[in-house]
Amino acid sequence: MTDHRSDNPEICLIFPCYNEEEVLPDLLRTLETLDLGIPTRFLFIDDGSHDHTPNLLKEACAADKRMACLSFSRNFGHQVAVSAGLKHACGDIVAVLDADLQDPPELLQSFIAKWRNGYDVVYGVRTNRKESWFLRICYSSFYRLLDRISNIKIPRDAGDFALMDRKVVDVINTLPEHNRFVRGLRGWVGFKQVGVKYARPARYAGKPSYNMRRLTALALDGLLSFSAAPLRVSAWLGAGAAFLGFCYLVYALSLFVSGKDLPEGWTSTIVLILFLGGVQLMVLGILGEYLGRIFDEVKGRPHYVLRDQTGWLTEVDEELSPSDKTAT
Ligand code: UDP
Ligand code: MG
């Protein structure tokens, strides 16, 4: 397979932004002076922000022709924003970064060096986390669990911060799923991948929009989209409960045969009902999670709706094929 890797590639940095007015001025200042040694473009995805983010981005796009912005009609979520960015990004290399400066853009220098050495995906691996100990335990258990039960290799402690070769981005763009867990899709694609360790700083300003509910939803997307193991767990749980029930039956029968009085029965009945009921509900819940995801997929709705686009996107739009213009 021939590699299209050019000596002077162009890179496109994607930033999903949701209510980032507090951090945007600093981010834009950092980007203005950022020198990666190769032609660089920036693509912001305004994920339905309701603060001054859209205006700030529009001004930035008007002032700097390397910048462009896609605006969603409402908030569609971080993973969808990243996917939209990948769809509209140009260039030979595409990088995904958080807008809150938690993924230092300067680090891309070393990512690009790895790309030049032949790697197609270079992702950041967090060596430290500035989150609370509780969140840190949650993150680390999640990555370890995912690693154990998923069908594909999803690197531990790697987020969406990554640089990808054009061919990887093109493959990700063809993946149709709605429940998008981008770092999982990135792992699924394959090719040559490598992690680069970095100490993740705390959010520069503003508040994180990932609360416990959204983090749980993301974790479920990751676990259920890349593994059927939970379905198997439910079958094992069911089998375990049935086995316990059977043991109890044997015990009761042996008491009956040896002529001993059977226990009163009330407590054991309640315990069994609660236990079996709990297991059944849990299994149904797991089935429901998968079913809900299948339902999302079969509806076949677009992943996002665009309100407008500014900056270089309007210039390169004519060069894109018609299929690229439709939101997917
Ligand atoms: N973000 C987004 N849509 C959302 C939530 C977040 O585009 O619905 C963006 C946000 O602006 C930031 C990135 O996704 O650039 C990561 O979000 P956040 O900092 O809240 O997450 P954390 O760093 O805590 O994982
Ligand atoms: Mg953040």
Side-chain angles (χ1 to χ4, degrees):
M1 192 170 146
T2 54
D3 208 319
H4 62 268
R5 229 156 278 220
S6 74
D7 286 339
N8 193 26
E10 189 183 297
I11 188 169
C12 181
L13 274 55
I14 317 177
F15 295 91
C17 307
Y18 180 54
N19 294 341
E20 296 288 7
E21 64 178 6
E22 280 181 52
V23 80
L24 266 182
D26 290 290
L27 173 70
L28 292 168
R29 222 170 298 132
T30 310
L31 296 184
E32 267 159 33
T33 53
L34 180 72
D35 182 10
L36 295 175
I38 53 176
T40 309
R41 291 202 202 219
F42 306 101
L43 174 56
F44 301 92
I45 300 94
D46 162 34
D47 186 10
S49 306
H50 32 75
D51 61 358
H52 291 298
T53 301
N55 304 341
L56 290 173
L57 289 177
K58 240 169 237 155
E59 280 166 24
C61 292
D64 188 335
K65 63 178 184 2
R66 297 173 305 160
M67 300 193 175
C69 175
L70 278 177
S71 292
F72 284 176
S73 62
R74 65 168 171 84
N75 179 243
F76 280 90
H78 177 210
Q79 299 294 303
V80 177
V82 172
S83 304
L86 292 176
K87 194 96 190 166
H88 289 82
C90 57
D92 309 283
I93 323 174
V94 180
V96 180
L97 297 93
D98 272 10
D100 55 11
L101 289 168
Q102 281 194 291
D103 305 327
E106 324 73 75
L107 258 183
L108 288 176
Q109 298 262 25
S110 57
F111 283 29
I112 293 171
K114 291 259 185 233
W115 176 83
R116 285 193 195 282
N117 287 341
Y119 287 101
D120 302 301
V121 175
V122 188
Y123 51 84
V125 178
R126 303 152 184 191
T127 51
N128 72 323
R129 289 183 168 270
K130 294 271 193 270
E131 290 92 2
S132 68
W133 62 267
F134 175 70
L135 263 185
R136 281 210 303 270
I137 291 177
C138 290
Y139 279 121
S140 114
S141 334
F142 166 71
Y143 280 115
R144 270 146 198 80
L145 179 66
L146 187 64
D147 201 24
R148 274 198 86 89
I149 71 170
S150 74
N151 312 329
I152 48 138
K153 182 112 196 71
I154 300 177
R156 287 183 188 181
D157 293 322
D160 292 321
F161 181 31
L163 171 154
M164 286 171 260
D165 186 83
R166 166 57 50 195
K167 64 178 177 237
V168 174
V169 176
D170 285 346
V171 178
I172 293 182
N173 288 343
T174 61
L175 303 179
E177 48 251 75
H178 277 67
N179 294 297
R180 298 189 80 80
F181 184 60
V182 176
R183 63 202 77 161
L185 300 177
R186 195 180 69 206
W188 178 88
V189 170
F191 294 110
K192 273 186 86 178
Q193 308 215 357
V194 68
V196 172
K197 290 195 173 145
Y198 78 110
R200 193 166 209 238
R203 175 174 254 280
Y204 190 78
K207 282 192 289 296
S209 38
Y210 269 106
N211 50 27
M212 213 49 208
R213 190 176 58 80
R214 295 184 84 160
L215 279 175
T216 314
L218 181 69
L220 274 181
D221 266 348
L223 291 175
L224 303 188
S225 306
F226 288 94
S227 170
L231 282 174
R232 241 166 281 142
V233 168
S234 54
W236 279 111
L237 270 176
F243 179 70
L244 283 181
F246 179 73
C247 291
Y248 189 76
L249 181 73
V250 172
Y251 168 68
L253 276 178
S254 67
L255 285 182
F256 178 72
V257 170
S258 57
K260 292 197 183 116
D261 275 350
L262 282 174
E264 279 293 302
W266 169 249
T267 321
S268 54
T269 310
I270 291 296
V271 167
L272 275 179
I273 288 176
L274 285 180
F275 181 66
L276 285 178
V279 168
Q280 280 169 356
L281 284 180
M282 201 183 131
V283 172
L284 278 179
I286 296 176
L287 284 178
E289 286 290 339
Y290 280 100
L291 198 67
R293 277 165 176 74
I294 296 171
F295 186 48
D296 272 348
E297 301 298 336
V298 295
K299 277 188 288 194
R301 291 193 186 141
H303 295 178
Y304 52 87
V305 180
L306 290 181
R307 194 178 49 216
D308 63 14
Q309 49 191 49
T310 42
W312 56 258
L313 270 177
T314 48
E315 292 156 30
V316 293
D317 210 26
E318 289 91 55
E319 295 161 25
L320 296 173
S321 64
S323 63
D324 286 329
K325 286 183 196 168
T326 44
T328 49

